[in-house]
Amino acid sequence: MPDQLTEITRAARGYYAQAARVPITATDFFDWLKQLSPAGRAEFEAQGLAFAQTERAFLRFVLELRGISMLEYMMEHLSVPAFELWAAHAEFNGDLPDRFVRL
């Protein structure tokens, strides 16, 4: 399983790295804020767009909004066993826990 976790981490890093190549706008930020809980919204409003750009949940929102699906990316970049692990565990659906991702 450690090799699969490494594989998942590398693929996730590649997915999120795509955010550097897409324009991220204030509209994206405000649309994302609407989806957060009131507490989360208040926290990220206070921190601002620049801070949000360091958050994987926001980056995934922006990428998905532009048609760059994490599911499809992971299917294309993972072996079958690693993809099954990623898809089967809620902690791998969306963001990997920080303990697994070293950006």
Side-chain angles (χ1 to χ4, degrees):
M1 182 147 95
D3 290 336
Q4 291 173 356
L5 294 178
T6 299
E7 187 179 344
I8 292 167
T9 299
R10 285 187 183 134
R13 288 170 66 188
Y15 176 77
Y16 291 115
Q18 296 177 99
R21 296 187 298 270
V22 299
I24 297 176
T25 68
T27 301
D28 297 330
F29 179 63
F30 291 116
D31 287 347
W32 180 66
L33 288 176
K34 291 176 192 172
Q35 298 184 5
L36 300 179
S37 67
R41 187 175 313 118
E43 176 186 346
F44 284 103
E45 282 179 325
Q47 297 291 336
L49 174 60
F51 179 78
Q53 290 181 48
T54 67
E55 294 293 311
R56 288 187 302 271
F58 177 65
L59 296 178
R60 182 174 182 185
F61 175 83
V62 170
L63 290 168
E64 296 274 352
L65 192 63
R66 285 159 179 76
I68 304 170
S69 165
M70 186 170 199
L71 177 68
E72 289 177 17
Y73 185 91
M74 298 302 265
M75 271 198 273
E76 292 172 8
H77 291 86
L78 292 175
S79 64
V80 171
F83 179 78
E84 288 173 349
L85 177 64
W86 178 79
H89 292 84
E91 70 180 319
F92 296 125
N93 283 328
D95 298 328
L96 290 173
D98 289 334
R99 67 183 181 275
F100 294 131
V101 178
R102 304 285 184 252
L103 297 177

